[in-house]
Amino acid sequence: MESTFITALQNIVSPEVLLVIFLSAVYGLFVGSIPGLTATMAVALLIPLTFYLDNLSAIAAIVTLEACSIFAGDIPTTLVRIPGTPSSAAYTDDAYSLTRRGLHETSLGVSLVFSVAGGLFGALVLILAAPQLAKIAFEFTTYEYFWLYVLGLSCAAIVSTGSRLKGALALMIGLMFATVGLSEVHSVPRFTFGFDELFTGINFVPAMIGLFGLSEVFRNTLTSKTEEETEKLKSALPVEVDKSWFKHLKPVFGGVLPQLWKRKFSWFRSSCIGSTIGMIPGAGADIAAWISYAVSKKCSKTPEEYGKGSLDAVGDATSANNSALAGAWIPALVLGIPGDSVTAIVIGVLLMKNITPGPGIFENPDQLVLVHGIYLTFIIANLLLIPLGFLAIRSGAQLVRIPRRILMPLILMFCVVGSYSINGSYFDVWVMLGMGILGFILEVFAIPLGPVVLGIILGGQLEQSFVQNLSKDDSILSFFNRPISAALGIFCIALWLVPLIMPLLRKKWSTPA
Amino acid sequence: MNQRAMITVSVRWKLLFLCLFLLNGCSSSTVDNYPDRPITIICPWSVGGATDRTSRQLGVYLEQELGVPVNVINATGGRGVTGHSRGLNARPDGYTLAIITGELNMLHWQNLTKLTHRDAVPIVSLVDGAAAVFVKTDSPFQNMQELQDYVKTHPGKLTATGTASGGIWHLALAGWLDFSELNAEDIKWIPMNGAGPSLQELASGGVDLVCCSLPEAKTLYESGQVRCLGVMAEEPLAEFPEVPTFISQDMNWSISGWNGLALPAGTPEPIVEKVSAVVNKITDGDVRLNGQSFPEAMREAGLSTRYRAGDEFSAFLKSNDETLGKLLTSDAFAKMSTRDTGPLVFPGMIAFAMCVILGCLAVQKKVHALAPEVTGDAVTRQGIINTILVLTGIVFYLLFAEELGFILTAGVVLFLLLWKFGTRLWVCALITVLFVPGIYTLFALLLRVPLPRGVLGW
């Protein structure tokens, strides 16, 4: 144990590995901060290169890339209201509202520090609990999954700003889109209108780019106030443009560490939620962010601020999405079952490198060195994120100073290229265009966009587990026949019913008195 | 490019393209200097699976031999329809290679696509993975005979999974049931999207059996969490000699899933020959990368390979198509593919919920409560024109990018938008000149996204 750890440390501090880590951090920050380029895509694009790297460098590159790109996703989220990665979608409104008040540096500072803190917590969970905790996730059958998806979706609808009904409507729109295509469980194509491309269904990445990115472009071009908006932002920004970088440490980090100390319990709670959700196969950083956002709002003393620029919301959700990353590696390493889409790729890379993930990986000394290397990289990557993330924030802040008449065509360009890149398909660009128009219309009716995206992401899996459960046993009671599924199911139902029943109960209690 | 969109391109534009093409001297796509730009491999299955691993492994070796970047794109979904369509309907210029799998010979029998193996120019078959049946280690079944006896006395009691309904592993199990003179629905099939989630379902006690290929279950099998009752191969597998075949258990039944490399039908003969020559060299083990040949790498990954080149692969495709067709059109299988939960049940439930929510919103009169941010900013005439320009820009890009290439199309769109939005001309030109080649370098050259190159070759 001791010796493998030291070997891993020796291997990792070699100049080559450190260079790989540094370059992947820069690459991760870059990809993450461009709207429409996801962490998954960044990792997928890295695969051909991992062939030329040794095992440890390859894995280190992926870990670093993941951690940095998930944080970097917060930069465009905060500055231009376009989530850089799906994991940032939960707190888009909060982060952007802060920018409108000129607090973008504070918001990004909170994102950075809480991301690092959450990431380190996730790494600790991975190190301490990997084999034990994976056993729990291994108990999950289609029944538990069904309730888990319902839970994730309910949270998205409930926490979204505006009325709960509109959140639910947005969710249904997303779920409806998810039914397009040939479902894995039926052999019938649905709503494809003869397009072969629609057999795959609506890809959520172009959908997200359209809903958040393109609709934002439309909002800006339709009103002539775009220039005024820029002016307003500019005037809200600190006036003096100081050339000394050191002085800028203050707006970014000033007050953030006390904030972290003040919110240590909620940080702990969010990080726990993050790593737990991360561990569950199929539920990644994005769902972790949504759920911890919902819990954070429930526990908050100022829930009315959520969605209108709450630093607490940004901090909690961003700790959760970063701690989920390490969590997802637990089932991947222990069981060979991916926790999220990135670890799905990782398993492929490991197998290509002739390392078979599984309990054996913790016994074979050569492979244990690699496992320790993964632990160490998670820590190094998160520490490296502090200076590099700061630089990214500083350069990203220039984004808001660019006039909108120049920024919008450029964002449009990235929307088109980004939606094309994920699959190299023109059809996805059409999807992005359609979703952009839809997103704009929904915003006019004040219908939140987040649940639409989550509906598209999880709808297929929700339907699958639903149909799978029914094909095992068509009685509704079977949805509650296992202890974990019963607990999850009752919790989900309570989540929707309690707010409906509460007013009635209150009336009943108050009338006799 | 989208076929429908292509048709709408007018003749006048076509003439313009022709002129551009002639001006350029046809330099970009001659057969002689193939390949002179990146090649894309379309893999119809998701990242991490056996087919993906094969594609990527092959891609790396091809990249070394051909000297151009080789990208793998996972065009997943639709039970393989999407990926096979994209791979085989691609422009037959040798720059898109298709990985084809057993589903190519199944989907058209199930009326899911018109595509058949006749749309492919087969190059070489790569993996041949025989189906195997797995149970959890604490299951009472020790061999196939015990399983068969139990199913005979308790029809409909056991549940199995491994892939979607009607997928290759479902077919394998149903075929065995049919062979054992049992009904195909005597074991309930729970549809799952792949071997990975199916095996997890098995390990967590959600199903009784899993039918998939042995390498797919390698991790759980070698860690002793699942037991393999038998493999549906003609001979025991070299990597797993301890696993008995069905034939050795007196059940004359074998079936396997396979994958291979193909080119779209209509690819020029010299290109087919060049690709075949290179691929044969790779599968013969004559190409080494990091001291390892392709067959060695595949063996270490636990994938059973079966290389059939050119005509042999064609003959195999034909006979495989007939075998699978016979199974899929048989009564036993046709009866089974009808499901209780229809495909429109779930969308129906969603639609119903939507109506209820809309009704509630109408009652609350909240539908027209506009977002404050939107109402805050008035829509102007110039704004409407600008938005129409943005829309036109995207559509223009979509229609012409494939012909004109990314740099020209994106450059035109970006320049015009910047200019129309009120930026000074020289600033527009500067930004366009800086950004468009910049994005191209970044995405196409560094990130290896197959951005359209068009007639000019960039």
CSV table of all heavy atoms in Angstrom, one decimal, chain A residues 30-75:
chain,number,residue,atom,x,y,z
A,30,PHE,N,-10.1,25.8,-21.8
A,30,PHE,CA,-10.5,26.4,-23.0
A,30,PHE,C,-11.8,25.7,-23.5
A,30,PHE,O,-12.8,26.4,-23.8
A,30,PHE,CB,-9.4,26.2,-24.0
A,30,PHE,CG,-9.7,26.8,-25.3
A,30,PHE,CD1,-9.5,28.2,-25.5
A,30,PHE,CD2,-10.1,26.1,-26.4
A,30,PHE,CE1,-9.8,28.8,-26.7
A,30,PHE,CE2,-10.5,26.7,-27.6
A,30,PHE,CZ,-10.3,28.0,-27.7
A,31,VAL,N,-11.8,24.4,-23.6
A,31,VAL,CA,-13.0,23.7,-24.2
A,31,VAL,C,-14.2,24.0,-23.3
A,31,VAL,O,-15.3,24.3,-23.8
A,31,VAL,CB,-12.7,22.2,-24.3
A,31,VAL,CG1,-14.0,21.5,-24.6
A,31,VAL,CG2,-11.7,21.9,-25.3
A,32,GLY,N,-14.0,24.0,-22.0
A,32,GLY,CA,-15.1,24.2,-21.1
A,32,GLY,C,-15.7,25.6,-21.2
A,32,GLY,O,-16.9,25.7,-21.1
A,33,SER,N,-14.9,26.5,-21.5
A,33,SER,CA,-15.4,27.9,-21.5
A,33,SER,C,-16.0,28.3,-22.8
A,33,SER,O,-16.6,29.3,-23.0
A,33,SER,CB,-14.3,28.9,-21.1
A,33,SER,OG,-13.3,28.8,-22.0
A,34,ILE,N,-15.9,27.4,-23.8
A,34,ILE,CA,-16.6,27.7,-25.1
A,34,ILE,C,-18.0,27.0,-25.0
A,34,ILE,O,-18.1,25.8,-24.9
A,34,ILE,CB,-15.8,27.2,-26.3
A,34,ILE,CG1,-14.6,28.0,-26.4
A,34,ILE,CG2,-16.7,27.3,-27.6
A,34,ILE,CD1,-13.7,27.6,-27.6
A,35,PRO,N,-19.1,27.8,-25.1
A,35,PRO,CA,-20.4,27.2,-25.0
A,35,PRO,C,-20.5,26.1,-26.1
A,35,PRO,O,-20.1,26.3,-27.2
A,35,PRO,CB,-21.3,28.4,-25.3
A,35,PRO,CG,-20.5,29.6,-25.1
A,35,PRO,CD,-19.1,29.2,-25.4
A,36,GLY,N,-21.1,25.0,-25.7
A,36,GLY,CA,-21.4,24.0,-26.7
A,36,GLY,C,-20.3,22.9,-26.7
A,36,GLY,O,-20.6,21.8,-27.3
A,37,LEU,N,-19.2,23.2,-26.2
A,37,LEU,CA,-18.2,22.1,-26.1
A,37,LEU,C,-18.2,21.5,-24.7
A,37,LEU,O,-17.9,22.2,-23.8
A,37,LEU,CB,-16.8,22.6,-26.4
A,37,LEU,CG,-16.6,23.3,-27.8
A,37,LEU,CD1,-15.2,23.6,-28.1
A,37,LEU,CD2,-17.2,22.5,-28.9
A,38,THR,N,-18.6,20.2,-24.6
A,38,THR,CA,-18.8,19.6,-23.3
A,38,THR,C,-17.5,18.9,-22.9
A,38,THR,O,-16.6,18.6,-23.7
A,38,THR,CB,-19.9,18.6,-23.3
A,38,THR,OG1,-19.5,17.6,-24.3
A,38,THR,CG2,-21.2,19.2,-23.8
A,39,ALA,N,-17.4,18.6,-21.6
A,39,ALA,CA,-16.3,17.9,-21.1
A,39,ALA,C,-16.2,16.5,-21.7
A,39,ALA,O,-15.1,16.1,-22.1
A,39,ALA,CB,-16.5,17.7,-19.6
A,40,THR,N,-17.4,15.9,-22.0
A,40,THR,CA,-17.4,14.6,-22.6
A,40,THR,C,-16.7,14.7,-24.0
A,40,THR,O,-15.9,13.8,-24.4
A,40,THR,CB,-18.8,14.1,-22.8
A,40,THR,OG1,-19.5,14.3,-21.6
A,40,THR,CG2,-18.9,12.6,-23.2
A,41,MET,N,-17.1,15.7,-24.7
A,41,MET,CA,-16.6,15.9,-26.1
A,41,MET,C,-15.1,16.1,-26.0
A,41,MET,O,-14.3,15.5,-26.8
A,41,MET,CB,-17.2,17.0,-26.8
A,41,MET,CG,-17.0,17.1,-28.2
A,41,MET,SD,-17.7,18.6,-28.9
A,41,MET,CE,-16.2,19.4,-29.3
A,42,ALA,N,-14.6,16.9,-25.1
A,42,ALA,CA,-13.2,17.2,-24.9
A,42,ALA,C,-12.5,15.9,-24.7
A,42,ALA,O,-11.4,15.6,-25.3
A,42,ALA,CB,-13.0,18.1,-23.8
A,43,VAL,N,-13.0,15.0,-23.8
A,43,VAL,CA,-12.3,13.7,-23.5
A,43,VAL,C,-12.4,12.8,-24.7
A,43,VAL,O,-11.4,12.2,-25.1
A,43,VAL,CB,-13.0,13.1,-22.3
A,43,VAL,CG1,-12.4,11.7,-22.0
A,43,VAL,CG2,-12.8,13.9,-21.1
A,44,ALA,N,-13.5,12.8,-25.4
A,44,ALA,CA,-13.6,12.0,-26.6
A,44,ALA,C,-12.6,12.4,-27.7
A,44,ALA,O,-12.0,11.5,-28.3
A,44,ALA,CB,-15.0,12.0,-27.2
A,45,LEU,N,-12.4,13.7,-27.8
A,45,LEU,CA,-11.4,14.1,-28.8
A,45,LEU,C,-10.0,13.8,-28.4
A,45,LEU,O,-9.1,13.8,-29.2
A,45,LEU,CB,-11.6,15.7,-29.0
A,45,LEU,CG,-12.9,16.1,-29.6
A,45,LEU,CD1,-13.1,17.6,-29.5
A,45,LEU,CD2,-13.0,15.6,-31.0
A,46,LEU,N,-9.8,13.6,-27.1
A,46,LEU,CA,-8.5,13.3,-26.6
A,46,LEU,C,-8.1,11.8,-26.8
A,46,LEU,O,-6.9,11.5,-26.8
A,46,LEU,CB,-8.5,13.6,-25.1
A,46,LEU,CG,-7.1,13.7,-24.4
A,46,LEU,CD1,-6.5,15.1,-24.8
A,46,LEU,CD2,-7.3,13.7,-22.9
A,47,ILE,N,-9.0,11.0,-27.1
A,47,ILE,CA,-8.7,9.5,-27.1
A,47,ILE,C,-7.6,9.2,-28.1
A,47,ILE,O,-6.7,8.4,-27.7
A,47,ILE,CB,-10.0,8.7,-27.4
A,47,ILE,CG1,-10.9,8.8,-26.2
A,47,ILE,CG2,-9.7,7.3,-27.7
A,47,ILE,CD1,-12.1,7.9,-26.3
A,48,PRO,N,-7.7,9.7,-29.3
A,48,PRO,CA,-6.6,9.3,-30.2
A,48,PRO,C,-5.2,9.6,-29.7
A,48,PRO,O,-4.2,8.9,-29.9
A,48,PRO,CB,-6.8,10.1,-31.5
A,48,PRO,CG,-8.3,10.5,-31.4
A,48,PRO,CD,-8.6,10.6,-30.0
A,49,LEU,N,-5.1,10.7,-28.9
A,49,LEU,CA,-3.8,11.1,-28.4
A,49,LEU,C,-3.4,10.2,-27.2
A,49,LEU,O,-2.2,9.9,-27.0
A,49,LEU,CB,-3.9,12.6,-27.9
A,49,LEU,CG,-4.2,13.6,-28.9
A,49,LEU,CD1,-4.3,15.0,-28.3
A,49,LEU,CD2,-3.1,13.6,-30.0
A,50,THR,N,-4.4,9.7,-26.4
A,50,THR,CA,-4.0,8.9,-25.3
A,50,THR,C,-3.3,7.6,-25.7
A,50,THR,O,-2.6,7.0,-25.0
A,50,THR,CB,-5.3,8.5,-24.5
A,50,THR,OG1,-6.2,7.8,-25.3
A,50,THR,CG2,-5.9,9.6,-23.8
A,51,PHE,N,-3.5,7.2,-27.0
A,51,PHE,CA,-2.8,6.1,-27.5
A,51,PHE,C,-1.3,6.2,-27.5
A,51,PHE,O,-0.6,5.3,-27.3
A,51,PHE,CB,-3.2,5.8,-28.9
A,51,PHE,CG,-4.1,4.6,-29.1
A,51,PHE,CD1,-5.5,4.8,-29.0
A,51,PHE,CD2,-3.6,3.4,-29.2
A,51,PHE,CE1,-6.3,3.7,-29.1
A,51,PHE,CE2,-4.4,2.3,-29.3
A,51,PHE,CZ,-5.8,2.4,-29.2
A,52,TYR,N,-0.9,7.5,-27.7
A,52,TYR,CA,0.5,7.8,-27.7
A,52,TYR,C,1.1,8.1,-26.3
A,52,TYR,O,2.3,8.3,-26.2
A,52,TYR,CB,0.8,8.9,-28.7
A,52,TYR,CG,0.3,8.6,-30.1
A,52,TYR,CD1,-0.9,9.2,-30.5
A,52,TYR,CD2,1.0,7.8,-30.9
A,52,TYR,CE1,-1.4,8.9,-31.8
A,52,TYR,CE2,0.5,7.5,-32.2
A,52,TYR,CZ,-0.7,8.0,-32.6
A,52,TYR,OH,-1.2,7.7,-33.8
A,53,LEU,N,0.3,8.1,-25.3
A,53,LEU,CA,0.8,8.4,-24.0
A,53,LEU,C,0.9,7.1,-23.2
A,53,LEU,O,0.2,6.1,-23.5
A,53,LEU,CB,-0.2,9.3,-23.3
A,53,LEU,CG,-0.5,10.7,-23.9
A,53,LEU,CD1,-1.6,11.4,-23.2
A,53,LEU,CD2,0.8,11.5,-23.9
A,54,ASP,N,1.7,7.1,-22.1
A,54,ASP,CA,1.7,5.9,-21.3
A,54,ASP,C,0.4,6.0,-20.4
A,54,ASP,O,-0.3,7.0,-20.3
A,54,ASP,CB,3.0,5.9,-20.4
A,54,ASP,CG,3.0,7.1,-19.5
A,54,ASP,OD1,3.6,8.1,-19.9
A,54,ASP,OD2,2.6,7.0,-18.3
A,55,ASN,N,0.2,4.8,-19.7
A,55,ASN,CA,-1.1,4.7,-19.0
A,55,ASN,C,-1.4,5.8,-18.0
A,55,ASN,O,-2.5,6.4,-18.0
A,55,ASN,CB,-1.1,3.4,-18.2
A,55,ASN,CG,-1.0,2.2,-19.2
A,55,ASN,OD1,-1.2,2.3,-20.4
A,55,ASN,ND2,-0.9,1.0,-18.6
A,56,LEU,N,-0.4,6.1,-17.2
A,56,LEU,CA,-0.6,7.1,-16.2
A,56,LEU,C,-0.9,8.5,-16.8
A,56,LEU,O,-1.8,9.2,-16.4
A,56,LEU,CB,0.6,7.2,-15.2
A,56,LEU,CG,0.4,8.1,-14.0
A,56,LEU,CD1,-0.7,7.5,-13.1
A,56,LEU,CD2,1.7,8.2,-13.2
A,57,SER,N,-0.1,8.9,-17.8
A,57,SER,CA,-0.3,10.2,-18.4
A,57,SER,C,-1.7,10.3,-19.1
A,57,SER,O,-2.4,11.3,-19.0
A,57,SER,CB,0.7,10.5,-19.5
A,57,SER,OG,2.0,10.2,-19.0
A,58,ALA,N,-2.1,9.2,-19.7
A,58,ALA,CA,-3.4,9.2,-20.4
A,58,ALA,C,-4.5,9.4,-19.4
A,58,ALA,O,-5.4,10.3,-19.6
A,58,ALA,CB,-3.6,7.8,-21.1
A,59,ILE,N,-4.5,8.7,-18.3
A,59,ILE,CA,-5.5,8.8,-17.2
A,59,ILE,C,-5.4,10.2,-16.6
A,59,ILE,O,-6.4,10.9,-16.4
A,59,ILE,CB,-5.4,7.7,-16.2
A,59,ILE,CG1,-5.6,6.3,-16.9
A,59,ILE,CG2,-6.3,7.9,-15.0
A,59,ILE,CD1,-7.0,6.1,-17.4
A,60,ALA,N,-4.2,10.6,-16.3
A,60,ALA,CA,-4.0,11.9,-15.7
A,60,ALA,C,-4.6,13.0,-16.6
A,60,ALA,O,-5.2,14.0,-16.1
A,60,ALA,CB,-2.5,12.2,-15.4
A,61,ALA,N,-4.3,12.9,-17.9
A,61,ALA,CA,-4.9,13.9,-18.8
A,61,ALA,C,-6.4,14.0,-18.7
A,61,ALA,O,-7.0,15.0,-18.7
A,61,ALA,CB,-4.4,13.6,-20.2
A,62,ILE,N,-7.0,12.8,-18.7
A,62,ILE,CA,-8.5,12.8,-18.7
A,62,ILE,C,-9.0,13.4,-17.4
A,62,ILE,O,-9.9,14.2,-17.4
A,62,ILE,CB,-9.0,11.3,-18.8
A,62,ILE,CG1,-8.7,10.8,-20.2
A,62,ILE,CG2,-10.5,11.3,-18.6
A,62,ILE,CD1,-9.0,9.4,-20.5
A,63,VAL,N,-8.4,13.0,-16.2
A,63,VAL,CA,-8.9,13.5,-15.0
A,63,VAL,C,-8.7,15.1,-14.9
A,63,VAL,O,-9.7,15.8,-14.6
A,63,VAL,CB,-8.0,12.9,-13.8
A,63,VAL,CG1,-8.3,13.6,-12.5
A,63,VAL,CG2,-8.4,11.4,-13.7
A,64,THR,N,-7.6,15.6,-15.3
A,64,THR,CA,-7.4,17.0,-15.3
A,64,THR,C,-8.3,17.7,-16.2
A,64,THR,O,-8.9,18.8,-15.8
A,64,THR,CB,-5.9,17.3,-15.8
A,64,THR,OG1,-5.0,16.4,-15.2
A,64,THR,CG2,-5.5,18.7,-15.4
A,65,LEU,N,-8.4,17.2,-17.4
A,65,LEU,CA,-9.3,17.8,-18.4
A,65,LEU,C,-10.7,17.9,-17.9
A,65,LEU,O,-11.4,19.0,-18.0
A,65,LEU,CB,-9.3,16.9,-19.6
A,65,LEU,CG,-10.1,17.2,-20.8
A,65,LEU,CD1,-9.8,18.6,-21.3
A,65,LEU,CD2,-9.8,16.2,-21.9
A,66,GLU,N,-11.2,16.8,-17.2
A,66,GLU,CA,-12.6,16.8,-16.7
A,66,GLU,C,-12.8,17.9,-15.6
A,66,GLU,O,-13.7,18.7,-15.7
A,66,GLU,CB,-12.7,15.4,-16.1
A,66,GLU,CG,-14.1,14.8,-16.1
A,66,GLU,CD,-14.1,13.5,-15.3
A,66,GLU,OE1,-13.1,13.0,-14.9
A,66,GLU,OE2,-15.2,13.0,-15.1
A,67,ALA,N,-11.8,17.9,-14.7
A,67,ALA,CA,-12.0,18.8,-13.6
A,67,ALA,C,-12.0,20.3,-14.1
A,67,ALA,O,-12.8,21.1,-13.7
A,67,ALA,CB,-10.9,18.6,-12.5
A,68,CYS,N,-11.1,20.6,-15.0
A,68,CYS,CA,-10.9,21.9,-15.4
A,68,CYS,C,-12.1,22.4,-16.3
A,68,CYS,O,-12.5,23.5,-16.3
A,68,CYS,CB,-9.6,22.1,-16.2
A,68,CYS,SG,-8.2,22.0,-15.1
A,69,SER,N,-12.5,21.5,-17.2
A,69,SER,CA,-13.6,21.9,-18.1
A,69,SER,C,-14.9,22.1,-17.4
A,69,SER,O,-15.7,22.9,-17.8
A,69,SER,CB,-13.7,20.9,-19.3
A,69,SER,OG,-14.0,19.6,-18.8
A,70,ILE,N,-15.2,21.3,-16.3
A,70,ILE,CA,-16.4,21.4,-15.6
A,70,ILE,C,-16.4,22.8,-14.9
A,70,ILE,O,-17.4,23.5,-14.9
A,70,ILE,CB,-16.7,20.3,-14.6
A,70,ILE,CG1,-16.9,19.0,-15.3
A,70,ILE,CG2,-17.8,20.6,-13.7
A,70,ILE,CD1,-18.2,18.8,-15.9
A,71,PHE,N,-15.3,23.2,-14.3
A,71,PHE,CA,-15.2,24.5,-13.8
A,71,PHE,C,-15.4,25.6,-14.9
A,71,PHE,O,-16.2,26.5,-14.7
A,71,PHE,CB,-13.9,24.8,-13.0
A,71,PHE,CG,-13.7,26.3,-12.8
A,71,PHE,CD1,-14.5,27.1,-12.0
A,71,PHE,CD2,-12.7,26.9,-13.6
A,71,PHE,CE1,-14.3,28.4,-12.0
A,71,PHE,CE2,-12.5,28.3,-13.5
A,71,PHE,CZ,-13.3,29.0,-12.7
A,72,ALA,N,-14.6,25.4,-15.9
A,72,ALA,CA,-14.6,26.5,-17.0
A,72,ALA,C,-16.0,26.7,-17.6
A,72,ALA,O,-16.3,27.8,-18.0
A,72,ALA,CB,-13.6,26.1,-18.1
A,73,GLY,N,-16.8,25.7,-17.5
A,73,GLY,CA,-18.2,25.8,-18.0
A,73,GLY,C,-18.9,27.0,-17.2
A,73,GLY,O,-19.9,27.6,-17.8
A,74,ASP,N,-18.5,27.3,-16.0
A,74,ASP,CA,-19.1,28.4,-15.3
A,74,ASP,C,-18.8,29.8,-15.9
A,74,ASP,O,-19.5,30.7,-15.6
A,74,ASP,CB,-18.6,28.4,-13.8
A,74,ASP,CG,-19.2,27.1,-13.1
A,74,ASP,OD1,-20.0,26.4,-13.7
A,74,ASP,OD2,-18.7,26.9,-11.9
A,75,ILE,N,-17.7,29.9,-16.6
A,75,ILE,CA,-17.3,31.2,-17.1
A,75,ILE,C,-18.3,31.8,-18.1
A,75,ILE,O,-18.9,32.8,-17.8
A,75,ILE,CB,-15.9,31.1,-17.7
A,75,ILE,CG1,-14.9,30.7,-16.6
A,75,ILE,CG2,-15.5,32.5,-18.3
A,75,ILE,CD1,-13.5,30.6,-17.0
